[in-house]
Amino acid sequence: MSMATRQRRALPSDPSTTGSSPAYTKVDKPERSDGENEDVDRGLGWLLPLICLGMLRHMSATSNIIHDCDEVFNYWEPLHYLLYNSGFQTWEYSSQFALRSYLYILLHKLVGWPASWWFGEEKVRVFYAVRIFLAVLSVISDAALVVALSQKYGKRLASYTLAMLCLASGCFFASTSFLPSSFSMYAMSLSSALFLFNKPAMAVSVAATGVILGWPFSILAILPLTIYSLVKSFKSVFLTGAVTSIVLMVLSVLVDYDYYKRWTSSVINLLLYNVLGGGESHLYGTEGASFYLRNGFNNFNFCFVLALLFLAILPIAKKKFAPELFVVVSPVYLWIAFMSLQPHKEERFLYPIYPLICVAASAVIESFPDLFRDKYNPNGPSVLVMVAKFLRPLALGLILCASHSRTFSLINGYSAPIEIYKHLDYHDDAGTGSVLCVGSEWHRFPSSFFIPDYVGQVRWLDDGFTGLLPIPFNSSLGGTSAAPSYFNNKNKASEGQYLRDPEQCTFLIELQLQRPYPTRGSDLSKWEIVAALPYLDRELSPPMYRSFFIPYQWQQKNVFGQYRLLRRIQK
C-alpha cells in the first residue's frame, strides 16, 4: 500500500470517512506537493478586484463609443429631457404605447441632476458623470463575483475571471452602456456572487431587481439560479423574491402613472409587444441563427469558444464545479439558444450573460491539467499535466491580447461621431437659434448632451430612410404624457420628421466616404469644413483587419472616410 494511501486513512477530516459529503470548496483541493496550490487558501480580497476593475471601467466610461442608437434615443434623450426640458422622443415613450419605464431613467437622474447643477452649461460633463456612475455599478457587481469565486474555488479561477472581466471587449463596452440590458448584467454578476456567498434569498432579490428595473426578458437568464435557490431554501427565497418583485412593480406603475398620466405598466406593455404579438418587433433588426455565435466571437474571441466548452469539461471537473458553478454558468446556454431563435437580434441582447461567459471560460482554462490527470493517482507527475499547466497562461494571454486588439480597433475606428460633436462648442459665434442638420448619420447622433445651448434645433434631413425617426418631446402636448398622432408602432415614417428646407441649416453633420455619388457637404461653395476626423469604412475594409487591430496592418489594410462638421458659408 502506498504512503499516499496510508496518509489519507490517517486524516479524520477526510470526507470519505464520514457519513456526509459537504459541498466542494477550495480547501478540498489536494495537499500542495508541487507548489500548485501554494497560498490558495488566502484567496483574493476586495482591494485588487476593485482597483483593477475601477481603472478599466473608468477607461471605458471616458472612451467608450455608443454602439446602438437605441441607447441614445430611448435612454439618453429622455434623461436629457428630464434634466433640461428638451430632447428627442421615440414612439415607445408615447403614452399611447408606454413601452419604456421612467423608473429606470430616474435611477440615473439621481446622478444626472446634481451633476447638471454642478457643471452648469457643460452638458458633456453630465454625460460622462452618468457613465462614471454606470462604471461604479459594474465595478461593485463584478468585484463581488470575483471575490465570491475566490472564496469558493480559489484565487486562480478568480484571477482568470478578473483578467477577462477587465479586458474582454464585450465587458469593456457593455459595462458603461446606458441600457437596461447592461443593468441586468450588473444584477446577474451580483446575484451570482451572492449565490456563491451562500445567500440565496439576497441573490434572488437582486436578480428580480435586474428583471423589473432593468430588462424584463432577462427573467429567463435568472431561472436556473432562482429554481436552485428555491429548492435549497424555499421559504426565505420565495418571500424575499416575492416582496422585492411586488414592491418594484408597484413602484414602476406609480412612476409610469406620474409621467404617462395614465395607469399602465411599461414592464407588461413591453412583454405584450414582443412576446404575445402586441406589436411588430420583427420589422427590423432580423438576423440569421448564427448571429450571436459570430457576435460572441467578435467580442470575446477564444474566451467565447472556451465558455461553450464548459459542459464538455464538467464530467471531469464535476467535483469542483457541480452543482453551484454549473447553476451560475448555465444561463449562457439557455440565453444564447433562446435569443438565437428570435428573428429580431441585436448585440446588446447578450449583455446579461457577458460576465458568465468570462466565468465559464476561466473554469475551462483552470481545468486544463484535470483533462490529463490519472484518476487513480491524481497527484502523480505527468508530462501532459505539466504541459497543460503551461497552456493556462498561454491561453489566457492569447485571449487578453485579442480582446485588447478588438477594443483598440473599435475605439479608434468608430469614435469620430462623439468627438466631432464636441467641436460645436467652439462655434458659438454662429448665434443663438442655430440649426444643426443631420442626414443619414441620424443613427450615430450621440445625444443632446453634446449639443450646446446656442444650437436651437437638431433636425433630420431626408436621405432616403423610410422608417419612423425620433421627434422632439412636445411640452405643449403634455411632454412625457403626450400621445402624438405622428407616432406609430409599425415603423412608418411621419410626415413631419424631416426638415424640408435644407437652406435653414447652419451646421451639417456628414460622413464622407469613397463613393461615386456626391453628398451635400461636397459643395464647398455653400459649406466649409470646420472639423473632420477619420472614420473606418466598414464596407470597404477586410473583416479581420477592421475587427481586430493588427500592428502595422490596421491603418494600411483598412479604408477610412471622414466624419465632418460643416458650417454654412454666409453670403
Side-chain angles (χ1 to χ4, degrees):
M1 183 177 295
S2 67
M3 180 64 68
T5 305
R6 289 198 299 271
Q7 287 177 344
R8 282 187 58 81
R9 285 187 176 180
L11 292 175
S13 60
D14 193 332
S16 63
T17 63
T18 65
S20 61
S21 298
Y24 176 85
T25 66
K26 61 182 182 177
V27 298
D28 292 327
K29 291 186 176 182
E31 292 288 336
R32 57 180 184 268
S33 58
D34 58 355
E36 168 83 11
N37 297 315
E38 186 175 358
D39 296 331
V40 71
D41 289 342
R42 291 186 298 178
L44 292 180
W46 285 88
L47 184 60
L48 180 63
L50 289 174
I51 291 176
C52 294
L53 287 165
M55 290 191 298
L56 270 297
R57 294 300 180 257
H58 180 268
M59 291 175 60
S60 174
T62 54
S63 63
N64 195 3
I65 62 176
I66 295 177
H67 301 260
D68 195 320
C69 62
D70 190 71
E71 177 182 354
V72 171
F73 294 116
N74 276 326
Y75 305 103
W76 285 112
E77 287 301 292
L79 177 61
H80 188 275
Y81 181 78
L82 297 186
L83 296 176
Y84 300 101
N85 202 37
S86 67
F88 283 97
Q89 181 184 20
T90 62
W91 68 268
E92 291 98 325
Y93 280 94
S94 168
S95 62
Q96 176 184 354
F97 305 106
L99 261 62
R100 307 294 181 185
S101 173
Y102 276 99
L103 180 59
Y104 175 68
I105 304 296
L106 287 181
L107 173 66
H108 301 79
K109 187 183 178 182
L110 295 176
V111 175
W113 183 81
S116 65
W117 174 82
W118 181 263
F119 294 119
E121 296 181 356
E122 298 179 274
K123 295 190 295 183
V124 173
R125 293 195 175 189
V126 179
F127 175 89
Y128 286 108
V130 174
R131 270 196 169 179
I132 292 293
F133 168 67
L134 297 174
V136 170
L137 294 179
S138 177
V139 168
I140 293 172
S141 58
D142 286 347
L145 179 59
V146 170
V147 173
L149 289 170
S150 179
Q151 292 185 7
K152 181 74 175 176
Y153 300 106
K155 68 179 181 181
R156 179 174 287 106
L157 176 60
S159 298
Y160 292 168
T161 303
L162 174 60
M164 292 188 190
L165 287 172
C166 285
L167 293 177
S169 299
C171 294
F172 185 89
F173 292 126
S175 60
T176 54
S177 293
F178 186 7
L179 288 166
S181 51
S182 287
F183 187 83
S184 295
M185 180 183 71
Y186 310 149
M188 184 67 71
S189 285
L190 186 55
S191 62
S192 298
L194 292 169
F195 176 77
L196 294 175
F197 281 135
N198 199 27
K199 299 181 182 297
M202 293 179 63
V204 172
S205 179
V206 170
T209 302
V211 170
I212 298 173
L213 185 54
W215 197 28
F217 297 103
S218 63
I219 188 172
L220 178 65
I222 71 166
L223 278 181
L225 183 149
T226 303
I227 294 173
Y228 188 85
S229 298
L230 285 170
V231 172
K232 193 173 183 180
S233 180
F234 180 82
K235 184 177 180 180
S236 61
V237 170
F238 179 80
L239 289 177
T240 305
V243 170
T244 301
S245 300
I246 292 171
V247 169
L248 287 175
M249 282 296 293
V250 170
L251 185 59
S252 176
V253 170
L254 292 175
V255 170
D256 287 343
Y257 176 79
D258 185 51
Y259 283 95
Y260 290 122
K261 302 304 180 190
R262 73 182 184 92
W263 291 110
T264 186
S265 171
S266 57
V267 175
I268 295 176
N269 294 340
L270 184 64
L271 291 172
L272 290 175
Y273 174 77
N274 286 278
V275 177
L276 301 182
E280 300 291 341
S281 62
H282 62 275
L283 290 175
Y284 49 90
T286 57
E287 297 285 349
S290 65
F291 174 80
Y292 289 122
L293 297 179
R294 291 182 279 110
N295 187 266
F297 184 81
N298 280 339
N299 285 318
F300 289 92
N301 56 82
F302 300 103
C303 173
F304 185 71
V305 177
L306 291 175
L308 296 181
L309 293 175
F310 178 84
L311 283 180
I313 63 100
L314 193 58
I316 299 174
K318 184 177 181 180
K319 181 182 178 183
K320 288 196 295 185
F321 299 143
E324 284 85 359
L325 195 64
F326 174 68
V327 172
V328 169
V329 168
S330 58
V332 171
Y333 304 97
L334 290 175
W335 194 247
I336 292 176
F338 174 77
M339 298 307 294
S340 295
L341 295 175
Q342 311 308 310
H344 180 51
K345 298 179 178 66
E346 296 187 39
E347 177 181 328
R348 58 191 169 93
F349 292 173
L350 283 194
Y351 284 6
I353 62 168
Y354 273 6
L356 307 186
I357 292 175
C358 297
V359 174
S362 299
V364 173
I365 295 176
E366 198 271 346
S367 299
F368 278 178
D370 297 332
L371 301 176
F372 304 101
R373 293 190 193 276
D374 184 345
K375 65 179 181 179
Y376 299 107
N377 187 16
N379 298 320
S382 169
V383 175
L384 291 177
V385 170
M386 298 303 296
V387 171
K389 291 178 182 178
F390 173 77
L391 289 177
R392 289 193 296 199
L394 191 65
L396 183 64
L398 177 63
I399 289 171
L400 298 185
C401 287
S403 297
H404 178 70
S405 174
R406 169 72 173 175
T407 302
F408 185 94
S409 180
L410 291 185
I411 289 178
N412 287 274
Y414 302 106
S415 62
I418 282 184
E419 298 302 321
I420 209 72
Y421 276 85
K422 295 177 183 178
H423 286 267
L424 286 167
D425 287 331
Y426 305 110
H427 298 279
D428 55 353
D429 60 317
T432 304
S434 297
V435 178
L436 171 65
C437 293
V438 185
S440 59
E441 288 305 294
W442 66 268
H443 61 288
R444 297 190 180 101
F445 176 65
S447 85
S448 297
F449 285 95
F450 291 81
I451 306 301
D453 289 339
Y454 76 86
V455 176
Q457 297 182 75
V458 176
R459 298 300 305 271
W460 312 129
L461 298 177
D462 189 354
D463 277 349
F465 181 70
T466 59
L468 179 63
L469 290 178
I471 297 174
F473 279 93
N474 193 328
S475 298
S476 63
L477 295 179
T480 61
S481 64
S485 59
Y486 44 74
F487 282 142
N488 64 82
N489 65 347
K490 305 298 183 183
N491 198 32
K492 295 180 179 179
S494 170
E495 293 183 0
Q497 68 185 27
Y498 292 119
L499 177 66
R500 297 302 178 185
D501 183 12
E503 296 297 320
Q504 298 180 27
C505 301
T506 311
F507 295 97
L508 175 66
I509 293 288
E510 194 170 69
L511 176 59
Q512 182 75 49
L513 298 174
Q514 298 179 17
R515 299 294 188 272
Y517 47 82
T519 59
R520 288 187 174 87
S522 301
D523 189 353
L524 298 182
S525 64
K526 294 183 178 180
W527 300 98
E528 62 173 332
I529 303 172
V530 295
L533 291 172
Y535 187 86
L536 199 152
D537 190 335
R538 185 180 183 278
E539 294 182 10
L540 298 183
S541 299
M544 183 177 68
Y545 293 101
R546 71 168 184 255
S547 298
F548 299 95
F549 173 78
I550 301 176
Y552 307 109
Q553 298 293 313
W554 191 78
Q555 294 92 338
Q556 298 177 11
K557 298 291 185 180
N558 289 318
V559 177
F560 296 86
Q562 280 195 333
Y563 213 90
R564 295 176 173 181
L565 171 63
L566 303 106
R567 180 172 176 174
R568 183 176 293 280
I569 298 175
Q570 299 296 324
K571 296 181 180 179

